[in-house]
């Protein structure tokens, strides 16, 4: 009986020791987990600070480079401005706006001009350079007196910031008023702008042959 009691006591002591070891192990693992967690936080924060520092340096360098480029290149804002003016001018044409709204898109410079390419003898508005504000007004007045149009629309705007120009494709159905001859036409504008994003040069390439035939009443005879 005594032996049995000793054996039982020893077995219980072993069980208690095992429990104690498990508890101590669990506490140690818990402490290590907390330590690892905080160590990871410290490392992540350190990496973030270093990354932020590196980013700020590269951003400063990029900003300085942008400023240097800005001294020799037109800004993105200027590109947006000339494109906006081109859209406004073309919208005025498409909507048949009054002449004063069209002229609002043009420069006030004495060097402003309109030129529709073609032989002068084919039509009064062809091959002549209409210079100055009065010249621009005269060009559009001649056009208005001789022609009418419908379904005018524009597409394919191309911006060349270095040249301060916008090119655009247009199309419409034109009618020569005095003869009643009409034709469908695709034409191109090349608009050059001043420093204030106003039209300084207005150039047109169109179907001058069709305009000539229509002015003589011969357009439909040729079809």
């Amino acid at each position: 009986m005594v032996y049995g009691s000793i054996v039982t006591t020893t077995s219980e002591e072993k069980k208690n020791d095992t429990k104690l070891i498990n508890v101590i192990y669990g506490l140690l693992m818990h402490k290590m987990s907390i330590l690892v967690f905080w160590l990871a936080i410290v490392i992540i924060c350190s990496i973030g600070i270093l990354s932020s520092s590196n980013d700020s340096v590269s951003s400063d360098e990029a900003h300085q480079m942008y400023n240097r480029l800005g001294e020799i290149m037109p800004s993105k804002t200027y590109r947006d401005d000339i494109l906006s003016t081109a859209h406004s001018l073309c919208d005025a044409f498409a909507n048949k706006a009054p002449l004063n709204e069209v002229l609002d898109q043009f420069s006030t410079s004495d060097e402003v001009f309109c030129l529709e390419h073609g032989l002068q003898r084919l039509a009064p508005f062809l091959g002549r350079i209409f210079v100055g504000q009065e010249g621009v007004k005269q060009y559009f007045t001649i056009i208005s007196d001789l022609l009418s149009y419908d379904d005018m629309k524009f597409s394919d705007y191309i911006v060349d910031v270095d040249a301060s120009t916008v090119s655009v494709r247009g199309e419409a159905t034109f009618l020569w008023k005095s003869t009643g001859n009409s034709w469908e036409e695709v034409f191109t504008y090349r608009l050059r702008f001043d420093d204030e994003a106003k039209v300084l040069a207005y150039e047109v390439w169109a179907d001058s042959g069709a305009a000539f035939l229509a002015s003589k009443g011969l357009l439909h005879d040729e079809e």
Side-chain angles (χ1 to χ4, degrees), residues 169-187:
R169 177 184 185 273
E171 54 185 293
T173 300
F174 289 91
L175 181 140
W176 198 283
K177 292 180 179 180
S178 63
T179 65
N181 280 189
S182 64
W183 70 100
E184 294 182 356
E185 179 173 292
V186 175
F187 53 93

Side-chain angles (χ1 to χ4, degrees), residues 36-109:
V36 170
F37 172 78
W38 285 110
L39 182 60
I41 293 295
V42 170
I43 292 172
I44 291 172
C45 291
S46 299
I47 292 173
I49 292 172
L50 290 174
S51 298
S52 300
S53 176
N54 290 336
D55 289 344
S56 64
V57 171
S58 61
S59 297
D60 290 341
E61 292 175 350
H63 186 66
Q64 292 174 3
M65 181 180 294
Y66 177 81
N67 287 339
R68 289 195 295 270
L69 289 174
E71 295 175 0
I72 59 174
M73 295 180 63
S75 66
K76 182 181 178 182
T77 301
Y78 180 72
R79 180 190 186 281
D80 295 339
D81 288 345
I82 64 176
L83 181 58
S84 176
T85 301
H87 276 286
S88 296
L89 179 63
C90 292
D91 288 345
F93 290 145
N95 296 325
K96 300 183 179 180
L99 180 57
N100 63 317
E101 292 186 22
V102 172
L103 297 178
D104 284 344
Q105 307 305 323
F106 282 80
S107 174
T108 57
S109 169

